[in-house]
């Protein structure tokens, strides 16, 4: 309770002091919850002592903030510089803000980390407000869990706008620290129970972990470009490649599901895919119905869609199921024989089918193909009885000046600024398979053609097998308008800085990127620097890479 505050108009009656004092190079700022007697509403009022010229820069920033209209930032109602002398009215500088009702983020985090969906929403709305301030050249400052308020209507607001000092880079770093705090419940740099600095908290979401790293990065081209870019990235859902491993373990193939299903059937007494089972504890010959994936026997995961081979296995199970039902009343010995018969059917049928296919292929190759080959060979209805061994034909030397075209042995995805989730690495060979109809493609990015502001680019490192003299590289794409660079001088395990740009340009269909002078290299990097519009975002692909030799 501070009825002794000096320098405030009579219309504002202080109620309770909130937050600690804020020391600045120009003075001290204290904050109260106060009552506006004229408009009969609560406000947040901050007083800078001394007033006058020392507080002039702060008051100027507050007047700029007064022109903003965003629910994420507290509105500025009033501001005055004061004279900085005496105890009379107007001697102190003050800023009157909107009072935001709700629970602070610090109070919410006292209960534990925030779920991912809620954290994305809170930080996205806050970043949108900060981006609006940055648009008019105003750095907000003071973005901490104690000043972020979760409004009752689901919105978020920042009290004390603007802070005494701040920078746009500091605002972006503070947003990243808040995101990390929300997801992990820990703040980076805080000492642990033993007084030593605790290790940085681990963010389980790869895309959000990469976003936090970019908010803190000071390396050129590696940091986040703006608060608006952060809001855009938080608004888009996680890429499928980042969450696929959470849905299904990579080693769980279709055959793995069938194996687990068969083991569960053997262990739990399931006799068919209709979910029925026979209860060995009952002696009246009846059967109990159980749901396919429910009941007390434990839930089974859904079985992936069957192909033709799976349908054959299913039919084998059904045939075996009929035999098992006929044997319900048999003795225990017959019951013990059921699992072995099932295994015999499941293993034997595929082996028998494989043997038949091999025999048919052998017969077709030795009879049909050999006859067709002898008929198609001109002038050779029957081979001569005796013939001298043919002299090996001498290879004609290549014409003078005709240099064989170099070939690509292999390709490796190169994404040094990525989030740890490779983008279609299995499709890399399609970029040099000689077929322009097949291609390797990036995933779809949102926000901008510059990889959504997440990174400077990505590409493929090609291995030529040995040093080759090159004059140009021809790149073919089905996404005309993308830009790319051809770089040399590095290797599969080197960083981007060790690759020098040999040629660059816009790829429109098929484009020849010629070097200023011949280059001898074993490895070359095709580095994609910008994407083209795609469905719902931006992407690019490389359909074919061809090499032109020097000379």
């Amino acid at each position: 309770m501070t009825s002794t505050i000096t320098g405030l108009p009579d219309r504002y009656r202080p109620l309770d002091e909130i937050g600690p004092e804020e020391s600045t190079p120009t003075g001290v700022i204290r904050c109260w919850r106060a009552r506006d007697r004229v408009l009969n509403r609560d406000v947040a009022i901050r007083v800078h002592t001394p007033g006058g010229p020392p507080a002039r820069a702060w008051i100027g920033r507050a007047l700029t903030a007064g022109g903003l209209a965003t629910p994420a930032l507290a509105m500025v109602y009033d501001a005055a510089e004061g004279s900085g002398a005496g105890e009379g009215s107007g001697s102190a500088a003050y800023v009157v803000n909107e009072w935001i009702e709700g629970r602070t983020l610090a109070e919410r985090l006292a209960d534990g980390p925030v779920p991912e969906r809620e954290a994305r929403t809170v930080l996205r709305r806050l970043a949108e407000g900060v981006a609006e301030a940055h648009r008019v050249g105003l750095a907000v400052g003071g973005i901490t869990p104690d000043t972020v308020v979760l409004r009752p209507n689901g919105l978020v607001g920042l009290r004390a706008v603007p802070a005494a000092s701040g920078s746009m880079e500091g605002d972006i770093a503070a947003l990243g620290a808040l995101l990390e705090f929300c997801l992990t419940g820990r703040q980076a740099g805080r000492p642990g129970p033993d007084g030593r600095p605790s290790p940085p908290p681990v963010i389980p979401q790869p895309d959000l972990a990469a976003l936090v790293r970019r908010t803190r990065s000071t390396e050129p081209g590696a940091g986040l470009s703006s608060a608006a870019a952060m809001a855009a990235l938080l608004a888009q859902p996680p890429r499928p490649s980042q969450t696929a491993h959470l849905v299904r373990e990579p080693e769980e193939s279709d055959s793995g599901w069938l194996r687990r299903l068969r083991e569960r059937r053997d262990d739990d007494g399931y006799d068919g895919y209709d979910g029925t089972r026979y209860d060995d504890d009952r002696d009246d010959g009846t059967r109990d119905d159980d749901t396919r994936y429910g009941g007390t026997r434990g839930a089974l995961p859904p079985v992936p869609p069957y192909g033709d081979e799976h349908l054959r296995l299913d039919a084998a199970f059904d045939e075996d199921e009929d035999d098992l039902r006929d044997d319900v009343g048999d003795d225990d010995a017959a019951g013990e024989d059921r699992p072995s018969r099932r295994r015999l059917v499941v293993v034997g049928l595929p082996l028998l089918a494989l043997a038949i296919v091999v025999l048919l292929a052998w017969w077709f190759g030795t009879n049909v193909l050999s006859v067709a080959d002898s008929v198609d060979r001109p002038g050779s209805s029957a081979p001569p009885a005796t013939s001298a061994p043919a002299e090996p034909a001498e290879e004609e030397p290549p014409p003078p000046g005709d240099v064989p075209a170099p070939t690509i042995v292999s390709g490796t995805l190169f994404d040094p600024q990525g989030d740890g989730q490779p983008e279609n690495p299995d499709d890399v060979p399609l970029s040099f398979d000689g077929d322009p109809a097949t291609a390797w493609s990036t995933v779809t990015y949102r926000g901008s053609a510059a990889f959504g502001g997440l990174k400077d680019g990505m590409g493929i490192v090609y291995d030529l097998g040995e040093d080759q003299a090159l004059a140009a590289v021809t790149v073919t794409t089905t996404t005309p308008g993308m830009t790319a660079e051809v770089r040399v001088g590095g290797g599969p395990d080197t960083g981007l800085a060790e690759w020098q740009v040999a040629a660059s340009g816009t790829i429109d269909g098929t484009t020849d990127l010629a070097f200023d002078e011949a280059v001898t290299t074993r490895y070359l990097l095709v580095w994609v620097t910008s994407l083209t519009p795609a469905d719902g975002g931006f992407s690019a692909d490389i359909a074919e890479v061809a090499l032109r030799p020097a000379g």
Side-chain angles (χ1 to χ4, degrees):
M1 310 296 290
T2 56
S3 59
T4 60
I5 299 175
T6 61
L8 296 181
D10 292 338
R11 66 178 290 180
Y12 301 117
R13 181 170 63 89
L15 300 177
D16 297 306
E17 186 170 6
I18 55 175
E21 291 184 356
E22 182 180 357
S23 298
T24 72
T26 58
V28 176
I29 298 178
R30 300 172 67 186
C31 185
W32 284 267
R33 180 177 183 173
R35 189 71 177 175
D36 186 339
R37 302 173 193 246
V38 176
L39 298 179
N40 194 29
R41 64 184 178 186
D42 286 352
V43 295
I45 187 166
R46 290 180 292 154
V47 180
H48 183 289
T49 53
R56 187 166 298 162
W58 178 53
I59 295 300
R61 297 176 66 239
L63 294 176
T64 302
L68 299 175
T70 169
L73 304 180
M75 290 185 289
V76 177
Y77 293 146
D78 190 10
E81 179 182 325
S83 63
E87 297 292 332
S89 176
S91 62
Y94 63 87
V95 174
V96 180
N97 284 115
E98 165 195 13
W99 175 257
I100 302 177
E101 288 288 353
R103 191 182 186 192
T104 67
L105 185 59
E107 294 171 342
R108 165 61 184 85
L109 289 170
D111 299 334
V114 178
E116 177 188 356
R117 183 185 296 272
E118 182 182 350
R120 286 180 182 268
T121 301
V122 169
L123 268 298
R124 173 179 59 82
R125 291 172 174 168
L126 190 59
E128 289 171 348
V130 174
E132 185 67 17
H134 289 183
R135 185 182 63 82
V136 298
L138 175 66
V140 178
I143 304 175
T144 67
D146 294 309
T147 58
V148 176
V149 182
L150 306 179
R151 298 175 184 259
N153 57 4
L155 298 178
V156 61
L158 180 66
R159 289 177 182 162
V161 176
S165 61
S167 65
M168 294 185 184
E169 294 79 7
D171 289 346
I172 295 175
L175 290 172
L178 280 184
L179 178 59
E180 180 181 62
F181 195 8
C182 287
L183 294 171
T184 64
R186 293 173 50 198
Q187 287 181 288
R190 288 291 182 91
D194 57 355
R196 298 180 180 178
S198 58
V202 178
I203 300 176
Q205 298 82 6
D207 60 328
L208 297 183
L211 181 58
V212 171
R213 287 196 302 270
R214 296 206 66 188
T215 61
R216 295 173 176 165
S217 178
T218 57
E219 298 180 5
L224 200 63
S225 59
S226 65
M230 182 174 185
L233 293 172
L234 289 171
Q236 58 180 300
R239 301 205 305 269
S241 63
Q242 296 167 346
T243 56
H245 66 284
L246 301 177
V247 177
R248 178 174 178 178
E249 294 294 334
E251 66 270 12
E252 290 294 342
S253 62
D254 291 344
S255 60
W257 284 110
L258 290 175
R259 184 185 70 255
R260 293 174 56 187
L261 181 59
R262 289 196 299 268
E263 293 173 353
R264 180 61 61 88
R265 284 158 50 99
D266 293 341
D267 295 340
D268 291 353
Y270 279 83
D271 289 330
Y273 288 145
D274 61 350
T276 59
R277 63 183 176 84
Y278 293 102
D279 192 345
D280 294 338
D281 295 332
R282 301 182 62 174
D283 56 359
D284 54 0
T286 61
R287 66 183 184 184
D288 296 334
D289 290 335
D290 197 358
T291 58
R292 182 174 180 180
Y293 300 121
T296 59
R297 308 290 290 189
L300 293 178
V303 181
Y306 288 170
D308 293 339
E309 183 177 350
H310 293 152
L311 291 176
R312 291 195 296 270
L313 290 175
D314 202 12
F317 276 129
D318 291 339
E319 294 174 3
D320 192 44
E321 183 180 16
D322 295 335
D323 296 336
L324 292 173
R325 287 176 175 169
D326 293 338
D327 296 336
V328 170
D330 291 349
D331 56 10
D332 295 339
E336 294 175 356
D337 189 46
R338 293 183 212 146
S340 60
R341 289 197 298 170
R342 274 201 297 270
R343 295 190 186 95
L344 179 62
V345 172
V346 172
V347 176
L349 281 179
L351 292 177
L352 179 61
L354 179 62
I356 293 174
V357 170
V358 171
L359 289 174
L360 287 175
W362 174 82
W363 178 86
F364 188 82
T366 55
N367 292 276
V368 178
L369 294 182
S370 61
V371 172
D373 183 66
S374 62
V375 171
D376 291 341
R377 191 180 302 117
S380 59
S381 59
T386 60
S387 59
E391 293 290 337
E394 295 183 0
E395 296 183 0
E396 296 183 2
D402 188 7
V403 181
T407 59
I408 297 174
V409 176
S410 64
T412 306
L413 195 64
F414 187 75
D415 191 11
Q417 299 172 350
D419 56 10
Q421 298 295 325
E423 299 184 20
N424 304 319
D426 295 337
D427 294 341
V428 168
L430 301 180
S431 67
F432 59 94
D433 62 351
D435 183 3
T438 61
W440 164 85
S441 173
T442 69
V443 299
T444 300
Y445 289 81
R446 301 183 187 276
S448 72
F451 292 86
L454 286 174
K455 53 190 175 185
D456 298 327
M458 66 178 302
I460 300 175
V461 174
Y462 294 100
D463 183 1
L464 312 186
E466 60 182 359
D467 286 342
Q468 302 278 357
L470 304 178
V473 174
T474 302
V475 180
T476 302
T477 182
T478 63
T479 55
M482 63 174 274
T483 61
E485 300 172 346
V486 176
R487 296 187 174 218
V488 296
D493 300 324
T494 59
L496 182 62
E498 299 181 42
W499 293 89
Q500 290 81 43
V501 179
S504 63
T506 301
I507 312 300
D508 292 317
T510 298
T511 301
D512 197 39
L513 300 179
F515 305 148
D516 293 337
E517 56 184 22
V519 173
T520 300
T521 183
R522 172 178 176 176
Y523 299 99
L524 64 87
L525 168 63
V526 176
W527 179 252
V528 180
T529 55
S530 71
L531 311 175
T532 59
D535 294 338
F538 301 88
S539 67
D541 65 41
I542 300 177
E544 201 63 36
V545 172
L547 310 176
R548 177 151 57 89

